[in-house]
Amino acid sequence: MLNRYKIFFVSLSTITTIIQANNMESLFVQDISKSTLMTSQKSFESGTHELKNKDDEIQTLFVAFGYNFESNTNYNFFVNASVGLSSYNTNNPSAGLVGDNADIDSMVAELGGGLRYKINPESYLSIGASLIYSDFKTNYIHNNDMKKDDKKIIDNLYTNSSDALTYKTALSYDYNKTINNHNAYLKSSLAYYNTEVDNLSETSSSVLSYLKIGVYSPELLKILNLPFKTEVYLQETLLGGDISDNMDMDNFTTVGMAFHLYTNTIVPLVDNVYFDANYVTGDNIDAVHLGVSMSF
């Protein structure tokens, strides 16, 4: 009888350890997914993001490219790509204890494409897919006492994985209209992401969608004989799935202004160079971004 009880308790302990390991693995994959999405997607701006409730900070820098192939019909193909770098630091790691410290430094590259349909001269509907590759380095510092088994699980997670693949599908809508020499636009997107980390069985599924409205001024003046315009915009971003749980919020708002200098008469490949300033706010995010960008 005693042997039966011993076997029962050993089995229960084993099951508990497996459940705990799977839970920590899932939380770790969610952190990798969050870092990947914030380093490659237009829903997020390059810059420093502070997450108020978790003592997290992530610094990102990425550039995105897109090209629409010419077509004699209302349909045309497009390709898109992006590359980015990020550094994510937290004193409240998802798979760990408050007060421990975790770092995830990532290099992310995305390549994709799709089909765009011209509804009318002012609006387009697009459907596309992308593959996002993330090469990351991780580090975990234990500042608290932890069970030996849990510590071993976390150390294995942070030392045995170094890259991830994210599969993305997206549906987008763009609308542009000129009103009194002002170019108004609306952009919207709904995208689904599934992230797999090498050597791990758990995956992460997230949804990002945004609605952005803005307006370009007419030409205000010339600088070095180049047209100068301003742009104001407002964007609302919605989060769903694992990224919403991980970031502890469902949405955030971006308000911004940009100053455009159109340079294609001097540099044919560069349409314009612009200075962009925006403010991001939400239940668990706060950021001010300043940057110089180019469109091609």
Side-chain angles (χ1 to χ4, degrees), residues 51-294:
L51 305 185
K52 302 172 186 175
N53 297 338
K54 289 190 174 182
D55 198 19
D56 295 1
E57 182 178 89
I58 182 167
Q59 296 176 325
T60 64
L61 174 65
F62 71 92
V63 292
F65 306 91
Y67 181 76
N68 295 309
F69 292 97
E70 294 184 4
S71 173
N72 294 324
T73 71
N74 289 334
Y75 295 91
N76 71 279
F77 292 100
F78 67 88
V79 294
N80 63 275
S82 70
V83 292
L85 300 171
S86 69
S87 178
Y88 171 53
N89 178 271
T90 177
N91 291 321
N92 186 7
S94 299
L97 298 177
V98 177
D100 289 352
N101 183 265
D103 286 296
I104 301 174
D105 296 325
S106 303
M107 180 179 68
V108 178
E110 177 180 359
L111 180 63
L115 182 66
R116 191 171 72 147
Y117 172 62
K118 183 179 180 180
I119 301 173
N120 55 50
E122 298 170 340
S123 57
Y124 291 86
L125 185 66
S126 306
I127 185 169
S130 300
L131 180 64
I132 308 169
Y133 172 75
S134 177
D135 178 67
F136 58 86
K137 295 181 180 179
T138 57
N139 183 50
Y140 193 100
I141 299 175
H142 297 274
N143 295 319
N144 295 281
D145 291 333
M146 181 183 294
K147 291 193 302 183
K148 184 177 180 180
D149 288 342
D150 291 346
K151 183 176 181 179
K152 183 177 179 181
I153 293 170
I154 290 177
D155 289 341
N156 285 337
L157 289 173
Y158 275 81
T159 56
N160 291 338
S161 299
S162 61
D163 58 76
L165 288 177
T166 298
Y167 305 91
K168 170 188 174 183
T169 55
L171 181 67
S172 303
Y173 173 77
D174 294 325
Y175 176 83
N176 293 271
K177 188 174 181 63
T178 300
I179 304 173
N180 295 329
N181 294 323
H182 290 73
N183 182 21
Y185 66 83
L186 180 150
K187 299 178 182 292
S188 62
S189 176
L190 174 64
Y192 171 79
Y193 306 82
N194 185 263
T195 299
E196 300 176 355
V197 178
D198 68 318
N199 300 321
L200 301 180
S201 59
E202 296 290 330
T203 63
S204 177
S205 298
S206 298
V207 175
L208 285 177
S209 61
Y210 69 83
L211 178 65
K212 181 178 182 180
I213 57 174
V215 60
Y216 289 88
S217 72
E219 180 183 322
L220 299 178
L221 52 90
K222 287 186 181 293
I223 300 177
L224 300 177
N225 206 34
L226 299 176
F228 175 80
K229 299 181 180 181
T230 61
E231 173 196 4
V232 293
Y233 59 88
L234 172 68
Q235 178 175 310
E236 187 69 16
T237 302
L238 305 178
L239 297 79
D242 290 334
I243 194 169
S244 175
D245 295 335
N246 188 284
M247 297 186 71
D248 196 24
M249 64 180 182
D250 299 320
N251 65 290
F252 62 86
T253 303
T254 305
V255 181
M257 186 171 187
F259 305 90
H260 296 261
L261 188 64
Y262 290 82
T263 58
N264 55 0
T265 56
I266 295 179
V267 185
L269 294 178
V270 181
D271 178 54
N272 78 82
V273 177
Y274 59 97
F275 174 78
D276 191 16
N278 63 64
Y279 173 62
V280 179
T281 183
D283 289 339
N284 190 27
I285 193 169
D286 191 33
V288 174
H289 297 143
L290 301 173
V292 177
S293 304
M294 292 185 294

Side-chain angles (χ1 to χ4, degrees), residues 17-74:
T17 300
I18 292 174
I19 293 174
Q20 178 73 349
N22 289 341
N23 182 56
M24 289 184 177
E25 181 178 306
S26 177
L27 293 172
F28 175 76
V29 173
Q30 289 179 31
D31 276 349
I32 297 299
S33 176
K34 175 177 65 177
S35 178
T36 298
L37 299 191
M38 293 185 71
T39 314
S40 63
Q41 301 307 303
K42 291 182 179 179
S43 300
F44 301 94
E45 298 280 349
S46 291
T48 299
H49 297 80
E50 293 183 357
L51 305 185
K52 302 172 186 175
N53 297 338
K54 289 190 174 182
D55 198 19
D56 295 1
E57 182 178 89
I58 182 167
Q59 296 176 325
T60 64
L61 174 65
F62 71 92
V63 292
F65 306 91
Y67 181 76
N68 295 309
F69 292 97
E70 294 184 4
S71 173
N72 294 324
T73 71
N74 289 334

Side-chain angles (χ1 to χ4, degrees), residues 5-19:
Y5 280 121
K6 184 176 181 180
I7 293 172
F8 172 78
F9 284 120
V10 170
S11 299
L12 183 60
S13 175
T14 301
I15 292 172
T16 301
T17 300
I18 292 174
I19 293 174

